[in-house]
């Protein structure tokens, strides 16, 4: 008698022979080779100003991939032959965040250097991780332009609380890693920022699109204008996606939610326009706290963001 | 002294003499006569591939009717004189689903035959119930066309898990009950289907409108085109409404939720365009799991779908 | 050694020296002077027909102000130098609602008389509080016009249950306090009203905009038309905002939720158009039940409504 | 073909031919005859000092009866041939509580008079309902003794908030309906009462057993001593069961929960000792708020209290 | 530069070099060798009479093992050198339960035959899985005695709903697999059973200990008496642990909860007395539904049950 | 007309003139004088190994005081004339924990020095705060003995993650602040510790009472023995109460819950025995995470612990 009905705990409960689930194209790194697309988890959220469980997001986003298939019905693209290397998570120190940021930067830089063609999707974590992550990209991929989706500038001073999820872009600019003119912020919202930081941004050449701009100009024009300009000035473009750019009705699972934000389709459209540009070669997804979400709705959007990103890259390379 | 303040437990806590609640026009079947409109509960959800409490939906949808009135203020239609016969629920076998499907088919067919003029609204249950339900309609009402609102094809093979909520339309086509050309699917979504099943649909003449189509063409044009064609080819049109066609922000209470779906007003508009056609004579509402919903939001939409359907039928018969 | 790190319990956990939180411009009334803008809590929700915890809304709305800043990035307005006087809450009697309504009316009237320039934002409570509140405004500010955002007329008879959250505008009209022609209702919804009350409204000259009107005409035209007419006929305009005018997906924290409602951006736009008119001088926010909300989403919208109202008033006075 | 698989919506989903569910012995009153045991719902909780949804308890307790069978395995008693008349709910006025209390008193008195042998189990509602309920018992059944299970005295003055859930026994004593010496309070808890009310109780001859007494003396001795004394002085004994006598770990669904309370088995034992006495002829169950409970745990205990009460009465009459 | 901070996603976030977590002694089966102790997941709960997510329990129990260490401080036993083979889960058919039961029986029998020394702990699933599981034990380990912890007999007829979670011990007796005299039921509860099934049990020689017996005799005496008798009559003893034997306050995560049950310490004591007997060589843990639990409390108890079982076995073999 | 019905937002909604609520005896520090009893909030929980919202506990415990009165009915003690000084919260640095610990130690030491007679109850925070807190006590009050209620030793090494909530007693011993022989740990639990740390404790003279000891010896004997010994060796005794010493059924709101713990009455008894000793002069309450609690049950127990502590101190000084 056989034991053919035994499966490893954790494997899919039901398998339809005609369906490929999105998690099936993700394979744990073997320590040697890596695909052109990769995942890196960065479970750090103790650097958040407010209470945050964003450190659980890498696991929840990965899990949500198993709720979706590889097939983009509208474009007729099936990702099932694609391979995404999952480099796993970078371990964070329990109490020493400088150490944690060093691990983030050095690990990502090392991976980018070892695997010149891989485009990592970095799963935060709070927005504080974008500082070491973008620093690593700069080191490995040259001059970087950043498209930041966010309700907030994240240009706070570091005196009042150290490097936190409110300071990554300030740190990048202050440290000379990112030129303010190469930072484009999309989705800024009323009553979610303060005048001194808007002024700091303007003074440093940061391009700012508020939600009113998104509603009036449309996401397509904003992205195309941004890509046109940035692509002439930088070597590579990095997407930094703070999930709180979305309206609370669409993404309830972020620490700093509110009304007046983007709907999820607009975000997905924006990601697609971006991903279809060859210089866009990395992305982080941050500020997603699964412990306060409802039915993993916010992680589900993150999974769709990743899959749409991959589809556009596949279309680009056809 | 009188006992005038006693009321049956379960009756309304407060009665406004100028208001008719929607549940008041629904009356339990007396075993004899039936109105032109009727409800049939089909509490089967163990045939779902994933864990589902959709078997609780008939009760929750009925209960939500008591939260709304009979008055359509925009069209000035009051349903208060209408009668809806509630045939009750079809009892499901605890463990034998073939038996359960037989009960569904034979009971609905019998009711359709006994009451030639009744338009049943069938409250699932998971989507698996549409197979016996539509089979019953075919038997009793002639050649059937189906408008399916759904994020998914539901055209899976039955080898991998038997007849489930993923297979109803496959079963209907394979069994020759439904001509693929008489099946119109609206709201299909990326990463929620697989290429082989899309191909199966196309090869069998199924009409497929994705969410991009809905956004670009508009629900009105899609419905009108569909009705124009179908109405010439079939005797009767059946709406199969999988609530997961809605975006997760609007209908969180479905097992298979995700972003990029329809908003609730678009769905209601679509139902109205459909109901205003005389050949549309039945509907099922499926994949609504009240145990994972928030504040019965999804059941509330279902109640509005039913009431809007009735209003359009009343307008048609004026 | 100093004790410089002690702070009062309840004070902000983290202070960024470049950020002013919205709650910081709100100061408890000193018993003497009042600002041009003020808050009054009216924690009465036992007069609701259905179970309601709207009495907790004054506290939750105030708390949500601390989640947002004073800076309106889109208009470049910073409210940080503004002062809002918080008059506190009016204490409600545990079981005597006539007494509670008397307290509401006399307290608000007294405040309006003592502080001729203050524009109070009244935090309910259920909609029943608008009856004494608007009565007080009429007494203190002259002939009043009312813009009511609501899914419901609130024109019920008082025989069936006394004065409740279903009767405020009926009471105001019946008592001769408000001329029906000076009442404009925006956002009325299907299956949420009854024909006799719509007729009552029409017969008394109430202007009624349904949600279909909102979708077809746009909120801007509705508000501008309303202001044009009302401003010629009344001395002052009062906004009565029932949060259930919003769709359940945007504002799940109201007792009477449903689909087909307004999205939050449209409401905020409407409030802005209104607040930019000099005759608009008061507002209540009602039917917000924090005990059934998700992540205070509905209170967050209320906080944004207040802040947008203030910004428009500041723009008006520049 | 038959329609044998149709059942009324709301009827049991599964029927085991060898099992009688507890709800099956409960039959709605036919307006004429009544059994020796009966249920009366009193859905009033707006008289609570704090926010309370205890008005939903009659429905939730009735529903929980359907989760249990009629069979007491330990005593070998099956209640399946017993009949319990459900008189339904007394309708409450939306805003006039004096009217509501009058309805409670007159309806219960009338039922007690019409049906001399019925022992009603009254399902509150908040504890305020015990005032009219016990008044009705006094009118119909003679001199009444009361065994009150409660963490609190409920002897508050009525000046500070009118008659509420904190005042029923004060009102009964002040109105001369109940002699303080015929009131026995069991389960009083630290930090849940105030000295003036304890003094009031002592001064009026109320017998007070704290939770320390319960732990040290045991529930059996307390009940037997109480019955021995009371039964010589009164005509009938009434149990007033405030569910908050239970520890929060056992009964989380009460508005005023806390540690240091009774466990559920001790309460059930106490009820059994009481019910086995022939003079015990009525009971109310109050302060159970299903909206804040977890998995209806507190309603489940209430259902077990009722069933144990019935079993002891059956044993008594064998 | 090294990549030493990368870890596989899913691995422990923090490692204390002096602590061994309980999950670390569990290793996935390599397809070849097995330890003396093993886990087998049986994620079947669609055979439940009521809605059940017990199919999620194998995953939640395994996960909870990672919340505890291997060290039994009271006995000074450290399990860290023990190995537990995790055979994984047996895949269940989506809709064919006869097939699923066949898979359970044949897989477990095969494993028991291949690994004569392994003591499997079987993680259900609903109680229906005990029928094929005990059948497999009978086939592989000889005459079996069963100690069942349960509020319910589970001796229902199979005519009314087929083989379900209410029928396993009936099926075992009816099929001649288990002699009724070798079945000992502990924890039976009032209003949770029906007289005909108690009679069936008695008539077939089943030993029945109610919760009153547990309270009066103590768990130690019950277990010792049971072991003394059973061990002389059977070859091996199997523990069937239905988590609903526990009181709802201790184990809220079971479908059929109620008051009057066992506390968790008593259960753990009982398991320890059993495990310390050499003939006890297998156990199932069933009716644990993580989807309705609070903070995985019920899965945590299951994890402790497993660890205590292992400790006693280690003590036995010292 | 007066404004007598206005109250400050946040003040009690209802006031009974015969009741003093426990929060009414707590008054915010005026910067000058302090009572013999005081509260200090220490909202630090980012030093936890696992995700923790214990930083919210100071606020939730304070809030729960308003749910209880000052009257201990069993001992006839009313605390209403007592005064408790609330020193407020110590502000924590967002990202620098060494700085935060310095603030804790220096602030508490300063307060203890300024107010020689005050007995502070320190509201954590995670258990990491006991390191600086006890250090401050040592500095200000002489040789300290510690009674630790805890499921865990908290004697972890600091190499693996720095100073965390797992290391406070290790740090105190290693730094020579606390003599291991002056540390008594009560409530240690199986599978919640590791052998090396138990050995470390034993080697350093720590007294260890497991939960089995608590069940077998009783809390009274344990406390009396402990006090007898400790009081001869130290100048002052400090209670460190980790709420996870309680069983998960009683205190679900701790990060590290499990079965087999203490019930809440036993804990309260233990606290009373301790508080009645004159050398006991301080306490911390830690590891209470209100964000994962149910109905603030765990904070309610903390409030009762505080009130019982005060009652015993009052009895001592009578
Ligand atoms: Ca950000
Ligand atoms: Ca942000
Ligand atoms: Ca479907
Ligand atoms: Ca679907
Ligand atoms: Ca209203
Ligand atoms: Ca309304
Ligand atoms: Ca009471
Ligand atoms: Ca009470
Ligand atoms: Ca069972
Ligand atoms: Ca059971
Ligand atoms: Ca600890
Ligand atoms: Ca601990």
């Amino acid at each position: 008698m056989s034991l053919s009905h035994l499966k490893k705990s954790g494997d899919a409960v039901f398998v339809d022979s005609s369906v490929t689930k999105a998690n099936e194209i993700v394979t744990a790194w073997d320590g040697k080779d890596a695909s052109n697309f990769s995942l890196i988890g960065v479970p750090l959220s103790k650097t958040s100003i407010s209470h945050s469980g964003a450190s659980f997001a890498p696991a929840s986003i990965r899990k949500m991939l198993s709720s979706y298939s590889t097939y983009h019905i509208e474009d007729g693209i099936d990702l099932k032959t694609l391979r995404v290397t999952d480099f796993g998570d970078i371990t964070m120190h329990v109490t020493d965040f400088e150490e944690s940021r060093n691990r983030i930067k050095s690990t990502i830089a090392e991976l980018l250097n070892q695997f010149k063609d891989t485009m990592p999707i970095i799963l935060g974590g709070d927005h504080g991780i974008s500082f070491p992550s973008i620093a690593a990209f700069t080191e490995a991929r040259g001059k970087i332009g950043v498209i930041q989706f966010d309700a907030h500038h994240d240009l706070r001073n570091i005196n009042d609380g150290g490097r936190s999820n409110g300071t990554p872009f300030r740190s990048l600019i202050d440290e000379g890693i990112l030129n303010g003119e190469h930072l484009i912020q999309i989705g800024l919202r009323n009553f979610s920022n303060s005048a001194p930081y808007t002024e700091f941004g303007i003074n440093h050449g940061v391009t700012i699109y508020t939600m009113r701009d998104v509603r009036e100009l449309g996401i397509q024009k904003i992205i195309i204008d941004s890509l046109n300009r940035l692509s002439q000035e930088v070597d590579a473009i990095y997407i930094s996606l703070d999930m709180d750019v979305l309206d609370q009705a669409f993404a309830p699972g972020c620490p700093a939610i509110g009304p007046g934000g983007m709907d999820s389709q607009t975000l997905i459209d924006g990601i697609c326009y971006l991903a279809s540009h060859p210089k866009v070669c990395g992305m982080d997804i941050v500020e997603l706290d699964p412990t306060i979400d409802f039915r993993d709705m916010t992680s589900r959007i993150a999974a769709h963001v990743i899959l749409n990103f991959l589809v556009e890259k596949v279309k680009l390379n056809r």
Side-chain angles (χ1 to χ4, degrees), chain A:
Chain A
M1 182 178 285
S2 85
L3 291 168
S4 62
H5 294 298
L6 275 180
K7 65 169 194 64
K8 244 190 91 183
S9 77
D11 283 358
V13 166
F14 171 69
V15 175
D16 180 321
S17 52
S18 300
V19 177
T20 308
K21 290 292 190 181
N23 63 307
E24 296 177 45
I25 63 171
V26 179
T27 46
W29 187 42
D30 60 4
K32 285 175 286 184
D33 302 319
S35 156
N36 282 1
F37 304 100
S38 51
L39 299 180
I40 307 172
V42 186
L44 176 64
S45 54
K46 284 182 175 177
T47 47
S48 292
I49 292 171
S50 62
H51 184 57
S52 172
S55 60
F56 297 103
S60 72
I61 297 171
R62 283 185 184 102
K63 189 174 171 199
M64 282 308 109
L65 287 172
S66 69
S67 291
Y68 300 103
S69 74
T70 53
Y71 182 54
H72 189 288
I73 189 173
E74 289 169 351
D75 288 344
I77 303 284
D78 198 326
L79 302 172
K80 75 179 171 186
T81 58
L82 203 74
R83 282 299 160 268
V84 177
T85 299
D86 188 346
F87 287 117
D89 289 342
I90 305 175
T91 53
M92 298 291 103
H93 194 276
V94 175
T95 53
D96 182 345
F97 305 143
E98 187 63 19
E99 165 69 16
S100 292
R101 277 187 297 269
N102 288 341
R103 293 181 188 179
I104 297 169
K105 184 181 163 193
S106 65
T107 304
I108 295 178
E110 175 72 12
L111 290 173
L112 290 172
N113 282 325
Q114 280 193 24
F115 306 103
K116 293 293 184 195
D117 295 327
T118 202
M119 291 191 222
I121 296 169
I122 291 148
L123 309 174
D126 68 39
H127 220 151
I129 67 146
S130 298
F131 170 40
S133 175
I134 291 172
F137 267 77
T138 302
E139 217 171 274
R141 294 284 186 264
K143 198 186 298 178
I144 298 290
V146 175
I147 307 281
Q148 175 191 356
F149 290 89
D150 205 332
H152 312 89
H153 286 304
D154 292 356
L155 293 169
R156 290 174 186 265
N157 76 81
I158 68 164
N159 295 329
D160 289 319
R163 297 199 199 281
S164 71
N165 65 336
T167 65
F169 299 98
R170 176 66 165 269
S171 293
L172 286 164
I173 291 171
D174 282 354
E175 305 284 321
I177 297 165
L178 180 68
N179 184 335
E181 299 186 352
H182 300 157
L183 174 60
I184 296 172
Q185 301 188 317
I186 302 173
L188 280 284
R189 233 180 285 175
N190 296 326
F191 313 118
S192 304
N193 293 285
S194 76
Y197 296 134
T198 304
E199 282 155 31
F200 178 95
I202 291 167
N203 293 340
H204 287 74
V206 176
T207 305
I208 297 172
Y209 292 103
T210 67
M211 276 309 301
R212 184 186 281 164
D213 295 324
V214 173
R215 286 193 300 273
E216 293 182 354
L217 301 175
I219 192 70
Q220 187 175 16
K221 177 175 169 41
I222 289 173
I223 299 296
I224 288 172
D225 287 358
S226 299
L227 287 172
N228 282 348
R229 185 167 63 76
L230 263 194
S231 63
Q232 296 175 5
E233 303 176 13
V234 300
D235 300 312
I237 298 173
Y238 179 102
I239 305 171
S240 188
L241 169 55
D242 181 332
M243 294 299 284
D244 69 20
V245 75
L246 291 164
D247 191 275
Q248 62 185 3
F250 290 87
C254 299
I257 58 170
M262 209 175 272
D263 64 87
S264 51
Q265 188 58 47
T266 300
L267 172 63
I268 289 171
D269 288 348
I271 296 293
C272 288
Y273 295 127
L274 283 168
S276 66
H277 192 285
K279 283 205 171 168
V280 171
C281 67
M283 170 164 60
D284 64 42
I285 301 178
V286 296
E287 297 291 326
L288 193 174
D289 181 349
T291 70
I292 53 176
D293 204 0
F294 186 75
R295 296 206 61 213
D296 289 315
M297 278 170 57
T298 313
S299 295
R300 289 171 196 268
I301 297 173
H304 275 244
V305 161
I306 294 169
L307 294 171
N308 277 284
F309 180 94
L310 296 174
V311 163
E312 293 301 322
K313 287 298 179 195
V314 166
K315 285 162 68 178
L316 197 62
N317 298 324
R318 271 194 304 204

